[in-house]
Amino acid sequence: MPNNKSAKSAFQYALQQSYDESANCRGRTLLYQFPSALKWISKGRASKELYTWSKDIVHENAVESESLAAWINEWISRDAQSSLDERQLHDAVLLAQLIPFLPQYIDIQTWSQLVTHLLGYMSLVNDLHPKESPVAFAIAAAELPIVLHRYHRRLSDSLVIDHAMKNVIVSLEESLGDDDLPHANMFSDFQETLASWTRMYFACQKAPDVASCPEDIELLFQRCARNSLLLSRGDHETCCTHTRSMPGWKRLRELAVTLAGEPSDKRLLCTRQPKSASRVRSYSKYALPEMSFQSDWSECAVARSSWDLGAAGIYVTYSESMQIEMEGANGLIISSVGEPRVSLHGETDSSILNRISEWSCTSWFNDHEAVYMEFESRFSNDVTVQRQLVMAKDESVILMADAVISEVEDTLSYSCEVELSDRLQMFEAEEHSEGFVVGLEPEALVLPMGLDEWRQSDLKGSLRRSDEGFVYSINHQDGALYAPLLFCLSRDAGTEPYTWRRLSVAEGLSRTPNSTAVGYRAQFNESQWLIYRSLAPPASRSILGQNTTAEFIFGAVDDKGMFHQYVGVEGAISN
């Protein structure tokens, strides 16, 4: 068994050889082949001085070697004595990518100290958990040792590589559920973790005389590359995160899909990023991935009218809280939908009910015409709120509605604030109850179907502009209430004829009260829409002279009065 002294000597010899041979491996590095990767590796996250030097090094500009060496020595000393933070991690990531370039600027002693220090990051693995600290775990436990060992074969240690590869699998598996999607809680870290996985994968693919990634890593990374497309809105931001994309995100996504994506993913990349380099090949014969999906494990749901840029989209994450985004032809329209604010007896704030359960998805339907999703949560005083979202894919029409159902005959009031994109405002109609969402041009018409078309007073409710968007409220309903908002995302919607009204719903020979069932009819130019919702146990009822036993109906009425059903929950309409 070799003693510590001989092992140390062997390592020092390996460092010297790697230092001398660094120029030979420089051409295999990520920064040499893709200099633009500097943006998604470190811009805005690594130290400003290091990022500036890195640009000069990669583009072969003059660098003050003494200043760079002094900064590296000071960074090693500071890093060894302080707790791990995001800036340190990204400094370490960038330095690891620069290692093959640095012998041109710093001496063997400084270079060896830096490599040794970066390899020491792997010792942090016991203090990091892949779910609680996904980015730190991916970088420290897997990326740094793999990148350093793969770019510098003289330093290769099979035990270290095997351990790091296992950590890659742990990092990837912990981020994916049975349906291959990350949990919604990880969406905000997804771009940074994908960046780390991509750097690792690239290093493995480019290492000489080394087999490519194990098959399980290949498959897991492929799924994550696909998720970079599935979870992005039309403006390329990751959905439901409330954070802007990291610098260079589109280039990172393109590289990840190009490296490991299936042909269907590469076709989707060409569709979502028309200027992608992947367009040099044709993938038109491959089917695109499903554009709308829902995951109980991930606790997310996505509805799209198509994969084309400018298509309508709805993005939802749910559990402890619910996040909803809506986009149209010009980008994000709704950035957030607040919690339902339900109160009893229409009294003061002291009567406001508390939500006492997490949100769960209770219904999901998706076909070529429409997507329907329903979520439910329990509130205090035996009140249940069911939130519905419907998208008519080819019609630019979206329904968002809350059904508030009480097990006792209480008088209920409801309100909900909708936050619009920073570029948009809502303007109220002068005499009617509707609203217009406007940016540089009209974006959406909003019909508060639960209110009368002609504005009379705010006693029954209102649709009012707020600092962040608008507030929709309905007051003094007995037993149950339904609060539907119908959006028409056509820029011409507010200039063409439109109207809506509440319909009578009959059960037997009697008109049903609004706490039992409600119906509405809306018209945008020549298209007409019918909405029916039962707030009591479903029964045989009639609306517009047609019978239904359904809980919920959404569809279109043609010019001959015939009804075409898009969505029917537990029943249908008989024409």
Side-chain angles (χ1 to χ4, degrees):
M1 182 179 221
N3 57 38
N4 290 337
K5 185 175 181 180
S6 62
K8 184 176 181 181
S9 298
F11 182 68
Q12 292 297 329
Y13 178 72
L15 284 172
Q16 180 67 60
Q17 284 190 305
S18 295
Y19 181 85
D20 295 338
E21 298 171 359
S22 61
N24 297 331
C25 70
R26 197 174 304 155
R28 300 192 301 269
T29 63
L30 179 63
L31 290 179
Y32 185 90
Q33 295 190 24
F34 299 96
S36 62
L38 261 178
K39 284 188 176 180
W40 57 265
I41 289 175
S42 56
K43 185 176 182 181
R45 284 106 67 219
S47 298
K48 187 175 180 180
E49 307 99 312
L50 179 59
Y51 181 71
T52 300
W53 277 317
S54 301
K55 289 193 295 182
D56 289 334
I57 290 171
V58 170
H59 295 290
E60 299 182 345
N61 297 328
V63 173
E64 178 54 57
S65 298
E66 291 184 4
S67 299
L68 175 59
W71 187 93
I72 290 175
N73 282 315
E74 193 273 333
W75 180 85
I76 293 172
S77 175
R78 183 179 70 248
D79 189 54
Q81 298 174 12
S82 58
S83 58
L84 192 66
D85 62 23
E86 184 177 349
R87 178 58 56 84
Q88 288 172 275
L89 271 176
H90 285 97
D91 282 347
V93 166
L94 182 51
L95 286 166
Q97 294 289 334
L98 289 173
I99 285 293
F101 297 82
L102 290 178
Q104 186 176 345
Y105 304 97
I106 61 177
D107 58 40
I108 177 63
Q109 182 178 357
T110 302
W111 189 88
S112 298
Q113 288 177 346
L114 177 59
V115 171
T116 304
H117 182 77
L118 292 174
L119 287 172
Y121 265 77
M122 199 170 182
S123 64
L124 299 172
V125 65
N126 294 328
D127 299 324
L128 299 171
H129 191 277
K131 278 191 175 179
E132 296 173 358
S133 308
V135 178
F137 181 87
I139 291 174
E143 177 187 346
L144 291 179
I146 286 176
V147 168
L148 290 168
H149 282 79
R150 291 296 201 181
Y151 283 166
H152 301 280
R153 298 292 296 126
R154 300 289 185 180
L155 300 176
S156 184
D157 184 324
S158 59
L159 292 177
V160 172
I161 287 290
D162 289 346
H163 191 41
M165 285 294 186
K166 290 178 182 177
N167 288 337
V168 176
I169 295 174
V170 170
S171 176
L172 288 163
E173 286 184 336
E174 287 290 339
S175 73
L176 298 174
D178 294 338
D179 48 13
D180 298 333
L181 291 169
H183 191 273
N185 291 340
M186 298 184 70
F187 283 11
S188 58
D189 290 320
F190 177 73
Q191 292 186 10
E192 289 289 2
T193 47
L194 180 68
S196 181
W197 296 327
T198 303
R199 293 188 293 263
M200 285 186 281
Y201 189 85
F202 182 91
C204 290
Q205 296 297 97
K206 299 301 178 180
D209 305 321
V210 177
S212 59
C213 282
E215 186 175 343
D216 45 1
I217 292 181
E218 183 106 19
L219 182 59
L220 289 167
F221 180 66
Q222 181 184 88
R223 294 168 181 170
C224 292
R226 180 183 302 130
N227 288 336
S228 70
L229 296 164
L230 296 181
L231 299 177
S232 290
R233 303 192 309 248
D235 59 4
H236 309 293
E237 303 285 349
T238 302
C239 66
C240 299
T241 59
H242 275 309
T243 56
R244 292 191 62 81
S245 291
M246 61 191 292
W249 163 241
K250 289 172 64 178
R251 290 290 185 90
L252 164 61
R253 185 173 67 174
E254 180 180 345
L255 179 59
V257 173
T258 302
L259 286 173
E262 293 185 338
S264 59
D265 303 326
K266 293 175 181 177
R267 181 186 174 189
L268 178 55
L269 176 67
C270 296
T271 302
R272 302 297 269 182
Q273 293 182 210
K275 296 182 180 180
S276 166
S278 296
R279 291 189 66 85
V280 298
R281 290 188 57 189
S282 174
Y283 297 98
S284 58
K285 66 180 181 180
Y286 299 99
L288 289 168
E290 176 56 54
M291 59 191 173
S292 300
F293 52 88
Q294 183 271 334
S295 166
D296 288 330
W297 184 89
S298 180
E299 295 183 312
C300 76
V302 172
R304 294 182 175 96
S305 60
S306 83
W307 276 120
D308 295 334
L309 295 178
I314 302 172
Y315 307 90
V316 183
T317 59
Y318 57 91
S319 182
E320 297 179 2
S321 62
M322 183 178 288
Q323 170 69 23
I324 300 175
E325 296 176 338
M326 182 191 299
E327 68 179 347
N330 295 325
L332 190 66
I333 296 175
I334 291 176
S335 59
S336 178
V337 178
E339 289 277 330
R341 193 170 182 264
V342 182
S343 58
L344 296 180
H345 312 298
E347 294 178 357
T348 63
D349 288 352
S350 62
S351 66
I352 294 175
L353 305 184
N354 297 315
R355 186 164 57 84
I356 58 175
S357 75
E358 295 184 345
W359 289 98
S360 62
C361 184
T362 55
S363 185
W364 167 264
F365 168 80
N366 174 33
D367 70 4
H368 67 285
E369 289 186 315
V371 180
Y372 171 76
M373 60 188 90
E374 182 177 303
F375 307 90
E376 182 175 296
S377 185
R378 299 281 298 173
F379 283 64
S380 53
N381 292 63
D382 295 322
V383 170
T384 298
V385 176
Q386 297 170 343
R387 177 162 282 180
Q388 299 172 300
L389 290 160
V390 184
M391 173 190 286
K393 292 183 178 180
D394 294 334
E395 309 296 337
S396 299
V397 171
I398 292 175
L399 173 70
M400 181 170 66
D402 284 341
V404 183
I405 302 169
S406 175
E407 295 186 8
V408 294
E409 289 294 324
D410 293 318
T411 300
L412 299 167
S413 290
Y414 160 95
S415 68
C416 180
E417 183 166 13
V418 175
E419 183 177 334
L420 297 175
S421 169
D422 293 341
R423 64 187 180 83
L424 301 176
Q425 300 179 70
M426 193 206 79
F427 295 94
E428 303 166 19
E430 293 183 1
E431 298 179 338
H432 296 169
S433 299
E434 69 270 19
F436 307 93
V437 177
V438 178
L440 295 177
E441 59 184 33
E443 299 265 346
L445 170 66
V446 186
L447 302 186
M449 308 286 285
L451 306 177
D452 294 332
E453 180 177 4
W454 288 88
R455 182 187 298 162
Q456 298 175 357
S457 72
D458 288 350
L459 293 178
K460 291 185 178 181
S462 63
L463 183 73
R464 292 297 187 191
R465 178 175 173 174
S466 67
D467 291 341
E468 303 297 330
F470 61 87
V471 177
Y472 180 35
S473 62
I474 296 178
N475 302 325
H476 307 294
Q477 297 276 340
D478 292 331
L481 65 81
Y482 192 54
L485 283 171
L486 193 64
F487 295 83
C488 181
L489 304 187
S490 168
R491 67 187 64 180
D492 300 323
T495 59
E496 296 177 339
Y498 63 89
T499 186
W500 82 93
R501 62 186 176 93
R502 187 189 297 264
L503 300 174
S504 297
V505 179
E507 185 174 341
L509 299 177
S510 302
R511 178 175 177 174
T512 61
N514 293 336
S515 59
T516 299
V518 289
Y520 308 91
R521 185 171 183 169
Q523 180 175 349
F524 303 115
N525 198 12
E526 296 181 357
S527 64
Q528 297 190 57
W529 300 90
L530 176 68
I531 302 166
Y532 167 82
R533 170 67 202 232
S534 175
L535 299 171
S540 179
R541 303 189 182 102
S542 62
I543 181 171
L544 281 181
Q546 302 179 86
N547 295 322
T548 182
T549 58
E551 177 184 287
F552 174 72
I553 294 289
F554 177 87
V557 181
D558 65 21
D559 54 4
K560 296 180 181 179
M562 297 298 291
F563 177 73
H564 176 70
Q565 180 171 296
Y566 280 62
V567 178
V569 178
E570 298 184 3
I573 273 184
S574 301
N575 280 309

